[in-house]
Amino acid sequence: QVQLAESGGGSIQAGGSLRLSCVPSGDNYRLRRYCMAWIRQTPERGREGVASIDFYGDTTYADDVKGRFAISKDNSEILYLQMDTLQADDTAMYYCAATNRYGGVCPRAAEEFDSWGQGTQVTVSS
């Protein structure tokens, strides 16, 4: 497992933007082979996979964030989630998650991940 630490959440009005960051700890070569994702959680909807990225840089997105959110990572394996045109329904606790036990497409479902950060709260007011 790797250690993950998120930051960048906050309160913002609808239509605004936020960028979340996730700093992993561990050997960069090993981290590079991980599938990483942003997963959000609310009491009403439970955990939802928002976006994922594999070590090739291939990405997947949930339908309701396509065109608004962008997942990326830099050479230090820091993971980002750029969130634009935020909506009230985007209000949630956002978690960074990682796994190196997958085959083929990098997953997005919460149950596929075994390393989690502590979460960062995003609150969007309408």
Side-chain angles (χ1 to χ4, degrees):
Q1 293 187 348
V2 297
Q3 305 300 312
L4 303 168
E6 306 95 333
S7 62
S11 297
I12 194 166
Q13 289 191 330
S17 298
L18 284 174
R19 189 175 81 155
L20 306 183
S21 300
C22 172
V23 180
S25 62
D27 176 72
N28 274 7
Y29 177 77
R30 179 169 61 88
L31 286 169
R32 204 172 296 133
R33 303 191 64 79
Y34 273 66
C35 163
M36 300 185 75
W38 289 98
I39 294 167
R40 63 189 180 188
Q41 183 172 15
T42 65
E44 298 79 17
R45 302 193 303 268
R47 296 187 299 181
E48 303 174 302
V50 175
S52 66
I53 186 168
D54 68 11
F55 63 89
Y56 292 115
D58 291 335
T59 59
T60 74
Y61 293 94
D63 287 342
D64 60 346
V65 306
K66 284 180 182 176
R68 299 189 299 119
F69 290 10
I71 188 171
S72 63
K73 57 181 179 176
D74 64 17
N75 291 336
S76 299
E77 301 303 310
I78 296 175
L79 184 71
Y80 300 99
L81 185 68
Q82 178 66 41
M83 304 186 294
D84 297 323
T85 319
L86 281 160
Q87 304 167 356
D89 284 349
D90 296 319
T91 295
M93 183 70 80
Y94 283 72
Y95 295 92
C96 172
T99 182
N100 66 347
R101 292 197 292 265
Y102 69 103
V105 177
C106 182
R108 204 170 58 239
E111 59 268 23
E112 301 290 341
F113 294 87
D114 49 24
S115 296
W116 291 77
Q118 81 287 354
T120 185
Q121 177 68 36
V122 172
T123 302
V124 184
S125 57
S126 56

